[in-house]
Structures are given as structure tokens and as C-alpha cells.
Amino acid sequence: MTIKRPRTIQIFLPTGDPSGIRIAEQTTSIIRLIEVPRSEMADFVKMPESKQVGLYFLVSGDNKDELYIGQSGEVGSRLMQHYKDPKKEWEHALVLVSLTNNLTQTHVLYLESLSIEKAKDCQRYDLSNDNSGQKPHTPIPLKADCDEMHSIGSLLLATLGYPIFEPLTESSPSKAEQVFICNRAGLKARAIYTNEGMVVLKGSSAPMLTKRKTEQRFFDKRDALLAKGIISSDGERFEFERDYLFQTPSGASMFLLLATSNGWQDWKTEQGVTLHEFQERTIDSVITQEA
């Protein structure tokens, strides 16, 4: 998890196209992250960074939620192998290199293993790696450097829209997060509203069928999460096997109800305060304190 404090991040567009290659750096760090759309691979291999030792992430899926993590002594050549392999489905590569070109094979082997471990812990992406990487013997000073690189890399990834190593909810005991419940139509669901959307918590459950008027798209979404193992079913109910992020409160409640819903009204605190009312009170409280 990236420590939250003020940072300055620079994003450079070498072609001027915001949907093309993007290069992100923290102004006080030597770590550089390059986002390469698959269609721009020819341009990337011309860049000097493609000849460097590097760590890379391949992202695919309709929701950009499928991930492969790898490393190479010459990252451009390795990505070209992935590019030419018709069985490898990916749309974006994210390449982590050093501005001073001082990464070694030991650095990236350690970073690969650490990244796979952290990505599994966060459970945001479906990881396609068959193993956990090769964790080499790493001297304490080198390990400290790698941990710092991973922290900066995590920040840069999240800045570009890939929060691979960011927990869905706050894990700090000093910051208690408000839990909202939805118990309509046999639901037993708990969730937390974050700046990314609504996180439905592990253990939340709902009936597999509904008597309400519904659409096929709700069943399609449910079946997709069943296939991925994010939810499980006993035939009558389905249950979340891990925390899962929905982009909106309504998206979360509609998924559970298998029908249309206004999540701002259907998610409530245990005291019956709707999410809309809770947010309104929070804003009013801040305005009052500042007055």
C-alpha cells in the first residue's frame, strides 16, 4: 500500500496523444513507469528504456482486471515475445525502469516476486502468473532499495489508473470506515463507500433468483463473477468470497438485487441513515467546522 502524503507526479506524453504512450515519474525519484498500449509497441522498442532491465505488467480484460507480472534483462525484447504470441491477450504494458539504468537482474527478480505476492494479497486483479516468481538471495541494502522502488512504482501505477497494489478498503485501525448495509429482498450485504466506488464486503450474500422484473445483463454479470470465483453459490444464494469494488453504489445494489436500484437510498447505516443522507451530513459537518 502506498503511504498517502502529498506528492508531485509528472506525466509526459511523448507523442502528444493522451491515449498513447504515457511516462510517469515522481519528481524526487529515479523510478520511471511507461504505459505502452499494445498498438504502440513499435514506438516503445525504439525508446532507450526498452533496452534496459525492467519489471513489467501486462493488463487485459474488458474491465482491465486481468494481470500478468514479469521481468527481463532487456524488457523491450521480452515484450515483443508477448506481442508476437497470439495466445497472449493483453492491451496495455506498464514498464518499470530506472532513470539511471542501474537495475540488475537481482533487483527485478526480487521486485517480480514481491509484486506477485502483493497483487495476490490485494485481490484487485485476476493474476495469470503460474508461479510466484524467483525470489533471489537479496542483501539487506538491496532489499531496502527494492521496497522503496516498489512503493514508488505502486504510486505511479495507481496514478495512471492501475491500482494493482492498493487495498480496496483502509486497513489502518486508526481510521474506522463506515459500513453500510442493504437488506432488501433477502439480501445480507455489507459495503464501504470509498473514493473509487462501493466495496461490497466478503460474506455478503443474496438470493440467486428474484421475483422482481429484471434484465439478462444482471444475470450475465453475476455469472461472470461466479466463473471467476469472486462469488460462490449453493444453488439458492450467492456469496462474495472476497471484497469486490463496484464503481457506483447503485451498481453494487443492482448486482445484489438483480434489478434496478438507487444505491444512494438502498445502502444504509445500521441506524437507518441512507448513504445520501450520511454524505450530506458529513459535508454539512465540514462546512460548519470551517465557518
Side-chain angles (χ1 to χ4, degrees):
M1 176 182 176
T2 304
I3 297 174
K4 292 180 173 60
R5 57 182 175 81
R7 315 281 185 112
T8 299
I9 304 297
Q10 294 181 337
I11 298 176
F12 175 58
L13 309 177
T15 66
D17 182 357
S19 61
I21 293 176
R22 297 191 292 170
I23 302 173
E25 300 171 10
Q26 181 178 316
T27 53
T28 56
S29 171
I30 63 169
I31 296 301
R32 169 175 286 173
L33 183 75
I34 307 170
E35 179 184 11
V36 186
R38 188 165 184 160
S39 60
E40 303 290 325
M41 271 300 299
D43 290 330
F44 174 68
V45 295
K46 297 175 186 176
M47 296 171 61
E49 290 89 345
S50 70
K51 307 296 189 296
Q52 292 188 25
V53 177
L55 179 75
Y56 64 88
F57 307 84
L58 301 180
V59 180
S60 60
D62 293 337
N63 298 314
K64 294 185 178 179
D65 57 359
E66 297 173 15
L67 177 69
Y68 178 84
I69 301 173
Q71 52 75 32
S72 175
E74 188 174 325
V75 69
S77 295
R78 182 66 179 128
L79 287 180
M80 283 303 298
Q81 292 176 5
H82 288 298
Y83 179 82
K84 294 177 180 178
D85 184 352
K87 296 180 181 179
K88 286 285 186 181
E89 294 186 12
W90 58 275
E91 295 304 323
H92 289 81
L94 296 124
V95 182
L96 193 72
V97 296
S98 164
L99 285 170
T100 54
N101 196 13
N102 65 345
L103 291 184
T104 67
Q105 200 70 37
T106 303
H107 283 104
V108 292
L109 282 170
Y110 178 86
L111 286 168
E112 177 190 44
S113 179
L114 179 63
S115 296
I116 292 172
E117 176 187 332
K118 297 289 187 182
K120 286 180 178 178
D121 287 343
C122 287
Q123 295 186 320
R124 279 182 175 263
Y125 289 72
D126 294 325
L127 205 59
S128 60
N129 290 74
D130 295 328
N131 54 47
S132 299
Q134 305 173 40
K135 202 164 194 176
H137 170 70
T138 310
I140 292 176
L142 192 147
K143 179 181 180 299
D145 287 345
C146 287
D147 290 340
E148 177 65 16
M149 291 175 197
H150 183 272
S151 177
I152 299 300
S154 176
L155 171 68
L156 298 177
L157 283 163
T159 300
L160 291 182
Y162 302 89
I164 296 169
F165 306 113
E166 300 299 313
L168 287 172
T169 59
E170 293 284 349
S171 56
S172 171
S174 63
K175 184 177 180 181
E177 293 179 293
Q178 177 64 53
V179 175
F180 295 88
I181 60 176
C182 184
N183 54 15
R184 289 186 54 192
L187 268 60
K188 295 179 181 178
R190 300 167 68 249
I192 293 173
Y193 184 59
T194 74
N195 57 7
E196 292 184 85
M198 205 74 182
V199 179
V200 176
L201 300 179
K202 177 181 177 180
S204 297
S205 67
M208 287 288 288
L209 299 175
T210 177
K211 295 180 180 178
R212 302 177 70 192
K213 184 178 180 180
T214 190
E215 299 175 30
Q216 184 60 38
R217 61 190 174 99
F218 296 117
F219 293 107
D220 292 342
K221 173 71 172 177
R222 184 198 63 190
D223 292 345
L225 294 198
L226 277 169
K228 291 184 176 182
I230 294 171
I231 61 176
S232 61
S233 170
D234 62 4
E236 296 184 359
R237 299 182 67 84
F238 65 85
E239 179 175 324
F240 280 80
E241 295 297 321
R242 69 190 200 209
D243 297 351
Y244 186 77
L245 173 66
F246 291 86
Q247 292 184 342
T248 65
S250 295
S253 55
M254 285 193 290
F255 178 86
L256 288 156
L257 290 165
L258 297 171
T260 55
S261 161
N262 182 342
W264 290 94
Q265 299 297 324
D266 287 337
W267 289 107
K268 301 177 182 179
T269 67
E270 290 187 355
Q271 293 73 35
V273 179
T274 68
L275 174 58
H276 174 74
E277 293 170 335
F278 184 86
Q279 290 293 106
E280 200 169 51
R281 292 180 187 181
T282 300
I283 294 172
D284 288 344
S285 174
V286 171
I287 293 173
T288 301
Q289 290 176 7
E290 301 235 344

